[in-house]
Structure formats: structure tokens, C-alpha cells
Amino acid sequence: MVIREISPADKAEDLSAVLPVAQAVFNEQMPGFPLLSATRLRMRCFPDHHAVLRVFAAFADDEARTADAMALVEWEEDANPDLMGASVWVAPQARRRGLGAALYAEVLALSAAVGRPRVVVNGASTVPVDAVVAAYGGRRVEEMIRSVLDLAGVPRSRMTEAAAATDANAGYRLVRWTDHCPDELAGSFCAAMAVMADAPQGDLVYEHVAHDLEGLRERERLSVLAGVRRHVLAAVTPAGEIGGFTVFSSAAEGPLALDIWDTGVVRAHRGNGLGLRLKAAQTLWMLDEFPAARWVQTFNNADNAHMLAINRALGYRAAENWSSYEFGPTRPGGQVG
């Protein structure tokens, strides 16, 4: 076995080397969902703004060109100084050969080297992880629900009705953009995104960093570079303030699936039905602009009853649960699979 640090975001051969591993693990975790595309994996391997991301791959030997396992490790440079996120994926056919343990060792060595003793990872309920978590001393800190919407079964009339303005929110106009936020809304959008810190996060201790224009433009740039498009729908007041928003992404490669990233309503604008209106209008946008798309997925904390209720009202069904686990400074961790 040989472990090498690689750069899937920058090198096509490295992306090709780990794509089969990632596809096999995601297919196991999300059965029935379209196969993970190379574009989506490449996007996952780009570091976020003010963050560091490193990727390690385990190969059978020096001559092997396809990896049997991989690990992604990421941490923020401007927040959460004791925290590191890690995912360790081992191809099903390559398990029980010590690959996961070897990559865990890389994660632990890096955790110690950069002084970040908390390692937080996640795993789907479709892959049993309790024994592994117990063996390595992890604890569950957050429970998420992945919900999916079958666009082929969406009744357009019902969605149109849900997207219509009501007396309570008729004062908001819906504005949408792709890839680049209009300059006149950028400041308000950054302020509105702070609402994501209000979402439940279980027992996970995590500091949300304030969004700024530099970070917004950098994330937009990285998405375009990766081949993933960001689609934003915002509810804007007559004064030009964003009261709520929802974001989804698409990729030309793998057009069957769309991902919802964030949805939020600013505190001062809650209670007006904006969340339902925005999500319904977003679905109509998907139907119109992406006729080949079949599935939409979104993740919500299990305690986020309000957003889960909106999703259920629009036809989303629960697919599986995902748990985040925290491991201490002497315990290995990784996304099991």
C-alpha cells in the first residue's frame, strides 16, 4: 500500500484516480440517487474561502493509477481553531485491508501537526457505523435528514399556487441570479446569509464566520472554476433588502440531480410565508430551466422542524439520516465507508 497526497481539484489524473472510490461510497450511502459526477467531486475538493483542504489517496502500489481509498481533510483559517473536518472513504471491495486505518493515521498526524484536536466527520444511516464510532471513542453531535424530491412527480399547479404571493408577503419581489450576485444586492445577500447560524446544529460546537463581499466573490469564482453553477432566488423588499433566499446548484455533467445548498429567512422577515414561497418558486425554476433533472436533494438538521415541514409540504420525502461524530485528540475518525 502506498499513500500519496493528491490534488483532484487541479489535476485530471488525480480526479480520475479517486472518482471510482467516491462513486462507490456515495452509491452505498445514497442508494438510488444518480451517480456522483466528476464535476461534483472536483467541487468537493476545492477549499472554501479562508480554508485549507488536503486530499490523500491509498493505492495498491507505486504503479497503481486507481485509488482504493481516499481521505479529505479541511479546516478554516479564520475560525474554529480547534476543529478539523475529515472524510475517509474506502471502496467496498478494498475493505478489511487496513486502508482506512492507514488513512486515519494520516488524519491524526495532520490534526496534531496543525493543533486541531477535534475531528468531526459524518456518515449515513445506510452504512452501519456504531461499532466503529464506539471503538474509536466518538460521540454523535448532530443528526441530519437528507430529503429528496422527484421532479417527475411534481404537480405544477400545486407548486404554482405555493409560489404565489400572499397578502403577508406580496411586498417582496423575487429576484434570481446564476453564478454572480448583482452588485446592488451583494451587501444585503452577505448580511442575509448570516441567518444560517440560526439553524439547529445539535451538540456540535461550531462558530459561523460572517459573510463578506470578498468571500462571496471567491466562492462564486471557485464554483465556476469547478463547473458547478450556483442559482440563487431571493425575496427583496421595496427598499432593496433581502429578506430571504434559497440556493441550489447544477452541473452540466450529471444533469439528473440538483442540490439545494442553503435556504434562510432573516429574523425580521419571518412569519410571512417566505420560506414556502421561495422553495416553491425555486422548484418551478428547476422545472423550467432543467427539464432533464429528475431528483433534488437537501440536508436539514433533524430538529429543524419548520424547514422540514416546508419540504414535506412541497413533496420532499425523507431518504436517510446522517450523523456527525466528534472524535477527541487521540481518536481517529472519518466518514465511514
Side-chain angles (χ1 to χ4, degrees), residues 301-319:
N301 183 281
D303 293 327
N304 195 342
H306 182 70
M307 188 54 66
L308 287 169
I310 288 176
N311 288 337
R312 299 296 172 266
L314 294 176
Y316 285 81
R317 63 171 178 81

Side-chain angles (χ1 to χ4, degrees), residues 29-53:
Q29 293 177 328
M30 298 182 285
F33 203 69
L35 201 63
L36 178 72
S37 68
T39 300
R40 291 285 189 185
L41 178 59
R42 183 171 181 244
M43 179 69 189
R44 177 66 182 82
C45 294
F46 274 102
D48 198 3
H49 182 59
H50 284 173
V52 176
L53 189 146

Side-chain angles (χ1 to χ4, degrees), residues 152-170:
V154 169
R156 190 179 184 93
S157 59
R158 190 181 74 182
M159 204 62 66
T160 300
E161 181 180 352
T166 65
D167 291 342
N169 59 45

Side-chain angles (χ1 to χ4, degrees), residues 5-333:
E5 184 167 3
I6 61 173
S7 301
D10 303 315
K11 297 180 180 180
E13 61 271 26
D14 286 351
L15 183 62
S16 296
V18 295
L19 181 60
V21 173
Q23 287 179 329
V25 171
F26 273 69
N27 186 58
E28 187 178 36
Q29 293 177 328
M30 298 182 285
F33 203 69
L35 201 63
L36 178 72
S37 68
T39 300
R40 291 285 189 185
L41 178 59
R42 183 171 181 244
M43 179 69 189
R44 177 66 182 82
C45 294
F46 274 102
D48 198 3
H49 182 59
H50 284 173
V52 176
L53 189 146
R54 297 175 66 177
V55 183
F56 301 89
F59 297 85
D61 52 47
D62 285 324
E63 303 301 318
R65 293 293 175 264
T66 301
D68 292 318
M70 66 181 294
L72 295 91
V73 185
E74 186 173 20
W75 65 91
E76 297 166 306
E77 296 182 297
D78 56 352
N80 302 295
D82 65 338
L83 180 64
M84 171 184 287
S87 299
V88 175
W89 302 331
V90 181
Q93 72 276 9
R95 291 175 185 163
R96 303 186 185 280
R97 287 163 37 191
L99 300 177
L103 285 171
Y104 287 152
E106 293 285 343
V107 172
L108 288 176
L110 191 54
S111 171
V114 299
R116 292 174 177 269
R118 286 197 300 138
V119 179
V120 174
V121 302
N122 61 67
S125 59
T126 49
V127 181
V129 299
D130 289 347
V132 176
V133 172
Y136 291 119
R139 66 184 185 95
R140 182 184 284 111
V141 292
E142 185 178 21
E143 191 80 13
M144 303 286 287
I145 298 174
R146 186 177 74 98
S147 299
V148 297
L149 176 66
D150 182 355
L151 290 173
V154 169
R156 190 179 184 93
S157 59
R158 190 181 74 182
M159 204 62 66
T160 300
E161 181 180 352
T166 65
D167 291 342
N169 59 45
Y172 299 85
R173 60 188 174 95
L174 299 189
V175 178
R176 68 190 196 185
W177 65 85
T178 295
D179 297 332
H180 186 87
C181 177
D183 290 339
E184 65 271 17
L185 291 175
S188 182
F189 186 43
C190 289
M193 284 191 289
V195 73
M196 299 311 298
D198 291 347
Q201 55 187 36
D203 294 326
L204 177 64
V205 177
Y206 179 81
E207 173 194 357
H208 290 264
V209 179
H211 292 267
D212 58 24
L213 184 59
E214 177 188 0
L216 172 63
R217 295 307 186 208
E218 176 64 8
R219 291 183 177 97
E220 291 174 339
R221 184 189 71 82
L222 288 175
S223 291
V224 171
L225 183 62
V228 175
R229 310 200 71 184
R230 304 161 68 96
H231 310 277
V232 183
L233 184 66
V236 183
T237 69
E241 177 186 358
I242 292 179
F245 63 90
T246 185
V247 184
F248 74 97
S249 66
S250 67
E253 182 198 12
L256 288 177
L258 302 172
D259 285 1
I260 295 179
W261 285 356
D262 294 315
T263 300
V265 176
V266 179
R267 292 179 188 177
H269 301 273
R270 292 175 185 167
N272 298 321
L274 278 181
L276 179 65
R277 182 184 171 193
L278 281 165
K279 290 290 291 280
Q282 178 188 62
T283 306
L284 292 174
W285 185 4
M286 293 172 174
L287 290 171
D288 290 339
E289 189 161 332
F290 302 94
R294 174 68 187 271
W295 298 101
V296 185
Q297 68 175 356
T298 184
F299 289 80
N300 301 102
N301 183 281
D303 293 327
N304 195 342
H306 182 70
M307 188 54 66
L308 287 169
I310 288 176
N311 288 337
R312 299 296 172 266
L314 294 176
Y316 285 81
R317 63 171 178 81
E320 72 277 321
N321 286 15
W322 288 65
S323 296
S324 293
Y325 302 94
E326 182 175 308
F327 296 84
T330 62
R331 299 295 187 183

